[in-house]
Amino acid sequence: MYKVALVDDHTLLSEAIAGLVRRFENFEVVNVSVNGRELVDFVEANPDMQPDVVLMDVKMPVMGGVETTQYLTKHYPEIKVLALSVEEEEGVVMQMIRAGAKGYLLKDTRKSILEQALNEVLEHGYYYTNTVERIVKKTERLKDQEIVLKEREIEFIKHACTEMTYKEIAEKMFLSPKTIEGYRESVFQKLGLKNRTGLVIYAIKNNIFVP
């Protein structure tokens, strides 16, 4: 029998999922915890009951899914973590994958898919849905395409984050409006942006501009 642990701060939901898993062939539930700290304490106190797979929620109090997955990956690499969450934002998915999760499922996943994922993780070491594969490939592709901004483009971005018009930016940079238009097109294309609002958000996130 393969041992499964569940970590979720929504007790009713985790107990319902535990009930499903208990019906799967060759699986038993050895622990249901409300946060990562509880799971870690259980694993460390019960080496003979160490789970083969952990179904891990992402956002939890005390010790969340990313932190717990990182800890298990470092100290108990033989334990496979399968994220099970309502969060479907690309950044959240990649946080869990980078932390060491071997797969990522949404909580509205069908019972048959959950059973398949558990078996795949144990047999092949991972289970990626089409959505997760797309996110991982997209992230890797963006990582490979390193964005290089020229000094004058960065200067343009800083000015574009203010209330100045493009004409005023041209005057400020001692350039023609046509050259500024060229900078705008170049920056938007490099960063995959469509408007000035997106540029401001990018600049703030990447510490180019401090409001």
Side-chain angles (χ1 to χ4, degrees), residues 83-97:
L84 186 62
S85 175
V86 297
E87 302 289 335
E88 51 186 327
E89 184 183 333
E90 292 185 3
V92 176
V93 174
M94 285 309 302
Q95 273 189 308
M96 286 298 289
I97 297 299

Side-chain angles (χ1 to χ4, degrees), residues 117-130:
L118 287 169
N119 282 296
E120 288 280 337
V121 163
L122 289 166
E123 185 175 351
H124 301 294
Y126 68 95
Y127 178 82
Y128 285 175
T129 62
N130 291 335

Side-chain angles (χ1 to χ4, degrees), residues 6 17 24 43 45 47 56 62 71 76 78 98-99 112 118 124 127 140 154 159 164 175 180 185 194 199 203:
L6 288 95
I17 295 172
F24 297 159
V43 171
M56 182 82 68
V62 184
Y71 184 89
Y76 299 92
E78 66 277 9
R98 286 171 177 157
S112 58
L118 287 169
H124 301 294
Y127 178 82
E140 290 176 345
I154 293 175
H159 291 316
M164 283 192 290
L175 297 170
I180 289 299
E185 294 298 326
K194 295 182 179 180
L199 183 62

Side-chain angles (χ1 to χ4, degrees), residues 180-197:
I180 289 299
E181 184 179 339
Y183 277 137
R184 180 176 63 83
E185 294 298 326
S186 174
V187 167
F188 279 21
Q189 183 176 4
K190 283 184 178 181
L191 303 180
L193 302 174
K194 295 182 179 180
N195 53 52
R196 195 164 172 174
T197 301

Side-chain angles (χ1 to χ4, degrees), residues 14-68:
S14 59
E15 287 293 351
I17 295 172
L20 284 178
V21 174
R22 290 187 180 100
R23 297 192 191 102
F24 297 159
E25 187 176 358
N26 298 324
F27 287 97
E28 63 175 331
V29 176
V30 295
N31 177 261
V32 178
S33 298
V34 297
N35 58 60
R37 182 72 262 165
E38 275 196 12
L39 173 73
V40 170
D41 289 344
F42 171 81
V43 171
E44 293 179 343
N46 301 276
D48 57 325
M49 295 293 285
Q50 179 175 301
D52 299 293
V53 184
V54 174
L55 293 174
M56 182 82 68
D57 191 13
V58 177
K59 294 187 176 180
M60 298 176 289
V62 184
M63 190 172 181
V66 174
E67 184 184 357
T68 308

